Amino acid sequence: MPESDRLLIGYQQAVADVRARVMNYANAIWGGLPAFRDAQAERLIARLVPMVTAGQLQVANLTSSYIARAVSGGVPLPVDRDGVTRGRGVDPELLYRRPFEQVWADLSESAPLDAAVAAGATRLMHLVATDMQMAKVRQADASLQAAGVKAYRRVLNGPKNCALCVIASTQRYHVGDLSPIHPGCDCSVAPVKSDWNGDRVIDPDLLEDTHKQVRELTGADNRAAHDYQKLLLVRDHGEIGPVLTWRDQNFKAA
């Protein structure tokens, strides 16, 4: 296995471990709450926000180290704490109150308590996962720009990936264009070599397989890579930033 692949796999596993640890911690706190009132919201926020912040910083440092080693073995770019932990522009204490607001809203509409609590838990997991991913993406963008890299590719993580990410991973992207994410996304980015010839397609085999699967599902047979822009859009979410969506997906900007 090439050293670049070993480096990437090690980085992805380290980030996945941090993400899982923070999400498991959040889930344990939520599951241990005796009720879902203001007092419990304050308790969760006081315990969870420092853990999420620490996780974001750890992910950012792992990303900075990976990019430095992948590009030239140079010195990692120092992490901008506010840049990776305050990217939403929303106070974390307000952000992590939202799962409770989800519970209260559902209960106000006569949802069963168990269903409302489950919806709140799902909201909490999405918030934590997105915060971890935003830290990774923002640090990768900063580190790639600082290293003078011109292009990057989207790297799938693990054996299961959504169709959005699979399609997006077949292309190369300009550094400075923040890698779009979506709920649950755990993709990484990797620099494209300096001898890149300008071809937009990074993985022709995966692209061909994607063409085949799209043809089987839809009957369409669009051979040009840019035709996938007819399937996908990058939309701007006022809080998260660039978000990868299906073109016909109902989307809220914030």
Side-chain angles (χ1 to χ4, degrees), residues 25-182:
Y25 183 75
N27 191 52
I29 296 176
W30 184 265
L33 293 175
F36 296 88
R37 299 186 175 90
D38 284 328
Q40 285 74 42
E42 292 175 4
R43 175 185 172 190
L44 179 140
I45 290 166
R47 295 177 61 188
L48 182 58
V49 168
M51 183 70 167
V52 171
T53 299
Q56 289 174 299
L57 292 173
Q58 191 170 0
V59 166
N61 276 297
L62 287 167
T63 302
S64 182
S65 178
Y66 161 67
I67 296 295
R69 294 177 64 188
V71 173
S72 62
V75 178
L77 180 71
V79 170
D80 177 353
R81 180 186 178 93
D82 286 344
V84 299
T85 64
R86 297 281 180 160
R88 289 179 183 264
V90 177
D91 189 320
E93 294 186 1
L94 296 177
L95 181 70
Y96 282 96
R97 190 177 177 84
R98 290 177 184 174
F100 293 89
E101 294 171 347
Q102 181 75 56
V103 173
W104 302 333
D106 287 0
L107 290 176
S108 72
E109 296 178 359
S110 302
L113 177 60
D114 288 350
V117 171
T122 298
R123 185 78 178 272
L124 178 63
M125 293 299 101
H126 283 168
L127 289 173
V128 174
T130 299
D131 274 351
M132 295 297 106
Q133 186 68 4
M134 287 173 65
K136 181 201 296 185
V137 166
R138 279 159 172 71
Q139 184 60 45
D141 186 60
S143 292
L144 289 169
Q145 290 194 58
V149 177
K150 302 301 182 184
Y152 71 89
R153 61 189 178 94
R154 191 183 191 97
V155 182
L156 301 176
N157 190 26
K160 295 182 180 180
N161 295 278
C162 73
L164 284 168
C165 291
V166 172
I167 292 173
S169 73
T170 65
Q171 314 294 304
R172 62 92 185 141
Y173 303 90
H174 293 289
V175 168
D177 294 336
L178 204 61
S179 179
I181 66 175
H182 63 83

